[in-house]
Amino acid sequence: MGQTISEKIISNHVGHKVYAGELVISDVDGAMASDTTGPLTIKAFKEMGGKKVFNPDKCALIIDHAAPSPNERIANLHKMMRDFAKEQGMRLFEIGEGICHQVMVENQYVKPGDIFIGADSHTPTYGALNAFACGVGSTDLAAVMMTGKIWLKVPQTIKIHCSGKLQDGVTAKDLILFLVGKVTVSGATYQAIEFCGEAFEGLSLASRMTIANMSSEMGAKTGIVHPAGLKLDYDFEAITPDADAKYIKTFDFDVSDLEPQVSAPESPDNVHNISNYEDTKINYAFIGTCCNGRLEDLDIAAKILKGKKIHPDVRMVIAPASQSVLLDAMSNGSMQTLIEAGASLITSGCGPCVGTHQGVPADGEVVISAANRNFRGRMGNPNSNIYLGAPATVAASALEGKITNPKKYLI
Amino acid sequence: MSTIKTTIEAKAHVYGNHIDTDRIIPGKYTKTLDLSTLANHVLEDLDPNFNKIVQSGDILVAGINFGCGSSREQAPLALKQSGISVVIAEDFARIFFRNAINIGLPVLEIGKHDIQKGAKLSIDLKQGIVNDITANKSYKATKLPDIMIDILSEGGLVNYLNKNGNYTL
């Protein structure tokens, strides 16, 4: 019987063929926790009798959610992480090195065909790399760090096929917002997603990460982009599904006419064509996060803002996904352009996305954000409203002071 | 972590669909190991009165996709610390579901229901039966995988691994 990508990857790890619905205990190729989940992970690791992590080269801690520390309480939690990493001989990614998912990919903690478990809900991002990657909570992660294993139910898979090429000025973020709108925030709960078809084949690794990242917003256990067209700096063996693999559901969309998409408050699946929201006044524009803080995101924003100034009633925050992204955006001039246009640069990391620091909106304010979540209170104030869009949409909106279709600036 | 009580009789606090973990415990309060801080802010953006009215042993009831969003284990921890003894929903987001079992907070998936705010419920966790005493109606929960039953009956994953050292199926 044919297998999906998830069934193949899990089979490779457990040593025999498995199919959807089976419970397995699988070896894990890598594990990480952030400063939201890491301290509880360390506490649970010690309480469950953990002495040494299963392999310090395959485990990492990342300080990204509240970096640098905004207060003494969080400073002490960061210290707890640094001390644990040192004691275990594992790497700790310091403040400013970047967002967990970005640094795991840049530093090759995860590769095609791997099973990776992260204590962060956006861990499916590594599906861009043709890996099976799942988010878990702190205690699950502590158990992975101690045993090198996880128990899993082999998921059923939903296939999302998109034919056609995206128009100029329409990007991977628009495509994934469109798909989240169609599948809904609970449409893939407990299931894996495979993304395939022409629309994905031409996408860069960064764009594939944007796609896989928002699998979480459909409730999926993991979301894997088919490897056709995937280019990496190293050789890899791609995992593709069998022709007779069984899917629980298949979606088929022609996306050649897709317009820029916007997700309105207060759920990521409240997605419509941008024309529904044009003229919505904004106060605050944000580009960054594990969804859209990469070089191509800063480049497209810089292209729109080159030689211009953002609207006087708008403030703009940029948080590069990693130090490496920041350095690249400095050397190619994009960062200079964005700052000259009036943007404010903050530490590479999660920035204001998690509502902890670095730009909490005021009561009644409207945010246009390149992030992946717009739940009420997400950015720290339940009395503000968050719209999600592509980095190009955020830049064009910052320029005009209202939600704006970026196509006219890009064609 | 204590072991779990298998029969519960208490009052239901009923909320709607898609209650995300930001609403269960906002991100700004998550960076702490102090459980009382979590409990003080539990559900505050959904129902600012919740932490004043919740009593030890009470039951939280919700619609579909409860606990979607962030992987923060602080969400079930906050509910447990506030006194909630079990969460019942039509269905759950997967990370929340695992987290709850891992920290020893029982969760029951019962599909479509019409349990009303304030209803008195009696629950048999072993059998997975939810009786709505107020409405004189009964619901059967989806059976947990055996490994989750084992983890829950130890009071959570910490105790389970302390006892077994590793996973067994």
Side-chain angles (χ1 to χ4, degrees):
Chain A
M1 195 165 83
Q3 289 186 302
T4 63
I5 296 178
S6 297
E7 288 167 339
K8 282 193 177 179
I9 294 176
I10 298 172
S11 296
N12 291 343
H13 283 75
V14 299
H16 61 276
K17 277 200 168 190
V18 294
Y19 294 91
E22 290 181 53
L23 276 188
V24 300
I25 293 168
S26 174
D27 286 338
V28 167
D29 300 298
M32 69 84 191
S34 74
D35 50 337
T36 290
T37 53
L40 277 170
T41 299
I42 296 166
K43 185 168 172 264
F45 180 86
K46 292 185 171 162
E47 285 172 358
M48 63 179 57
K51 299 277 183 280
K52 282 278 160 199
V53 298
F54 79 101
N55 182 341
D57 296 332
K58 293 183 173 188
C59 297
L61 295 175
I62 302 95
I63 299 180
D64 58 355
H65 278 61
S69 53
N71 56 45
E72 72 277 28
R73 177 171 45 81
I74 295 178
N76 288 329
L77 295 174
H78 288 172
K79 179 174 184 298
M80 177 184 179
M81 292 172 71
R82 291 185 185 104
D83 291 347
F84 183 75
K86 200 168 245 177
E87 167 196 318
Q88 293 291 332
M90 65 198 262
R91 181 154 176 199
L92 176 124
F93 289 85
E94 263 298 344
I95 58 164
E97 286 197 78
I99 302 170
C100 52
H101 307 305
Q102 188 66 21
V103 299
M104 288 298 95
V105 172
E106 286 175 359
N107 292 276
Q108 296 181 15
Y109 275 79
V110 55
K111 289 185 167 177
D114 280 358
I115 293 183
F116 191 101
I117 306 296
D120 187 275
S121 61
H122 288 112
T123 305
T125 305
Y126 320 144
L129 279 175
N130 200 217
F132 181 92
C134 268
V136 297
S138 298
T139 303
D140 255 333
L141 207 270
V144 172
M145 284 193 169
M146 184 170 100
T147 64
K149 294 178 193 303
I150 189 156
W151 77 266
L152 286 172
K153 193 171 192 178
V154 181
Q156 296 171 319
T157 298
I158 295 176
K159 181 163 145 183
I160 299 181
H161 180 270
C162 293
S163 56
K165 276 198 176 125
L166 297 176
Q167 301 176 65
D168 286 345
V170 179
T171 59
K173 179 60 164 294
D174 299 302
L175 175 54
I176 192 63
L177 284 176
F178 168 77
L179 295 174
V180 171
K182 293 292 176 200
V183 177
T184 80
V185 287
S186 56
T189 302
Y190 301 125
Q191 295 164 342
I193 299 172
E194 286 182 20
F195 299 97
C196 60
E198 189 189 6
F200 301 100
E201 287 170 12
L203 296 182
S204 64
L205 174 61
S207 288
R208 287 164 189 255
M209 288 171 75
T210 302
I211 298 284
N213 177 274
M214 287 194 77
S215 306
S216 322
E217 268 56 65
M218 299 181 259
K221 184 177 277 187
T222 194
I224 303 176
V225 185
H226 278 208
L230 174 65
K231 290 186 193 74
L232 297 173
D233 297 340
Y234 50 87
D235 291 333
F236 65 96
E237 205 178 313
I239 313 257
T240 52
D242 292 323
D244 57 344
K246 254 192 158 164
Y247 294 93
I248 178 92
K249 204 185 238 182
T250 300
F251 289 92
D252 213 327
F253 300 105
D254 179 347
V255 294
S256 46
D257 292 332
L258 188 73
E259 287 293 315
Q261 302 287 298
V262 166
S263 166
E266 51 191 51
S267 179
D269 63 357
N270 188 15
V271 176
H272 299 92
N273 278 338
I274 195 165
S275 57
N276 290 276
Y277 302 106
E278 277 172 305
D279 298 332
T280 303
K281 281 208 162 64
I282 60 149
N283 308 95
Y284 176 179
F286 171 49
I287 296 179
T289 79
C290 53
C291 193
N292 275 122
R294 286 173 277 277
L295 187 64
E296 64 180 29
D297 304 320
L298 304 184
D299 285 350
I300 200 167
K303 193 172 169 190
I304 291 168
L305 292 171
K306 178 109 189 134
K308 303 187 179 90
K309 287 278 180 205
I310 60 170
H311 192 277
D313 296 337
V314 173
R315 57 193 187 276
M316 185 173 196
V317 171
I318 307 280
S322 71
Q323 213 161 59
S324 149
V325 168
L326 171 59
L327 288 169
D328 288 344
M330 284 166 71
S331 57
N332 78 3
S334 287
M335 193 50 73
Q336 175 107 12
T337 301
L338 292 170
I339 291 171
E340 282 173 355
S344 163
L345 171 66
I346 59 169
T347 307
S348 302
C350 305
C353 175
V354 237
T356 306
H357 65 157
Q358 290 184 320
V360 175
D363 289 351
E365 284 196 327
V366 175
V367 185
I368 180 85
S369 167
N372 37 32
R373 290 195 174 134
N374 56 355
F375 300 133
R376 181 136 306 276
R378 172 73 181 179
M379 292 180 75
N381 185 345
N383 302 313
S384 61
N385 284 312
I386 307 164
Y387 290 79
L388 305 176
T393 299
V394 176
S397 305
L399 195 57
E400 298 202 9
K402 58 188 188 188
I403 293 179
T404 301
N405 187 331
K407 275 169 74 183
K408 61 181 170 187
Y409 295 106
L410 293 166
I411 297 171
Chain B
M1 241 176 262
S2 57
T3 44
I4 309 291
K5 254 177 89 178
T6 54
T7 52
I8 295 163
E9 193 169 302
K11 191 177 74 174
H13 300 266
V14 184
Y15 298 98
N17 294 331
H18 304 295
I19 293 169
D20 58 80
T21 51
D22 275 280
R23 247 167 284 206
I24 300 172
I25 183 76
K28 59 192 168 194
Y29 304 121
T30 55
K31 282 96 185 157
T32 180
L33 295 174
D34 175 31
L35 298 181
S36 62
T37 303
L38 298 177
N40 288 342
H41 297 286
V42 67
L43 293 171
E44 74 174 18
D45 288 347
L46 180 71
D47 179 355
N49 284 320
F50 181 78
N51 88 358
K52 296 179 198 88
I53 56 172
V54 65
Q55 290 181 352
S56 179
D58 282 359
I59 297 163
L60 191 75
V61 178
I64 62 167
N65 201 28
F66 184 79
C68 60
S70 153
S71 70
R72 61 188 68 151
E73 197 164 286
Q74 290 89 337
L77 281 172
L79 291 170
K80 191 180 178 195
Q81 182 68 21
S82 76
I84 290 295
S85 59
V86 52
V87 184
I88 295 169
E90 292 186 29
D91 61 37
F92 290 86
R94 56 165 291 276
I95 303 179
F96 180 91
F97 195 71
R98 281 183 80 114
N99 283 346
I101 299 286
N102 285 342
I103 64 144
L105 175 67
V107 279
L108 294 174
E109 206 166 78
I110 61 166
K112 195 107 195 101
H113 65 77
D114 51 16
I115 299 171
Q116 301 296 312
K117 190 176 163 184
K120 198 172 172 199
L121 306 180
S122 92
I123 293 168
D124 183 333
L125 280 179
K126 273 214 167 118
Q127 303 299 321
I129 305 281
V130 175
N131 284 311
D132 182 342
I133 298 169
T134 308
N136 194 22
K137 218 170 161 179
S138 178
Y139 302 91
K140 177 97 179 105
T142 312
K143 192 179 176 296
L144 291 174
D146 288 343
I147 188 164
M148 282 190 142
I149 294 175
D150 292 346
I151 292 169
L152 194 56
S153 55
E154 293 297 340
L157 186 56
V158 164
N159 291 359
Y160 173 94
L161 283 174
N162 250 322
K163 187 172 167 189
N164 302 310
N166 214 324
Y167 290 112
T168 43
L169 280 184

